[in-house]
Amino acid sequence: MKAACLVAIPVLLGAATMNAAVDPALLALMPANASLLFGVQVHNVLASPFGKYFLTQLPPDNGMVQLAASTGFDYRNDLTEIVGATVLPDGTKANLYFARGSFQVKKFLALATATGSTITA
């Protein structure tokens, strides 16, 4: 019985993740020497029981509300996927994150300028 469980668990986990493909364009942007890669299909997560619970735990006055007011960006509807990588060379830590979704670029640039950021092309 224990042997059957040891075989069944990896098979079930593998089957559950077969549908969770990462966008090849975002994956191509990740560094080749990444020690850890992760990806999240945002709509799938938010539609899950965990995602629904997570949304109820967010405070109503968090930074995402301010971001939405300034940029028109609502992560619940506009964010599709997040892919990230961590590179750990020589004990240092570097993180890289990419997101795919619908962004109103002019509003994000205006917010960046208003908060003192330097915009370069």
Short mmCIF file of all heavy atoms in Angstrom, two decimals, residues 21 60 94:
data_model
loop_
_atom_site.label_atom_id
_atom_site.label_comp_id
_atom_site.label_asym_id
_atom_site.label_seq_id
_atom_site.Cartn_x
_atom_site.Cartn_y
_atom_site.Cartn_z
N ALA A 21 1.42 25.49 -18.42
CA ALA A 21 2.54 25.87 -19.27
C ALA A 21 2.83 27.36 -19.11
O ALA A 21 1.95 28.17 -18.90
CB ALA A 21 2.21 25.57 -20.72
N PRO A 60 -8.69 46.57 2.64
CA PRO A 60 -9.30 47.43 1.62
C PRO A 60 -8.50 48.68 1.30
O PRO A 60 -8.73 49.30 0.28
CB PRO A 60 -10.66 47.80 2.24
CG PRO A 60 -10.48 47.60 3.69
CD PRO A 60 -9.45 46.52 3.86
N ALA A 94 19.76 37.75 -6.53
CA ALA A 94 19.19 38.64 -7.52
C ALA A 94 17.85 38.06 -7.97
O ALA A 94 17.75 36.86 -8.18
CB ALA A 94 20.12 38.80 -8.71
#
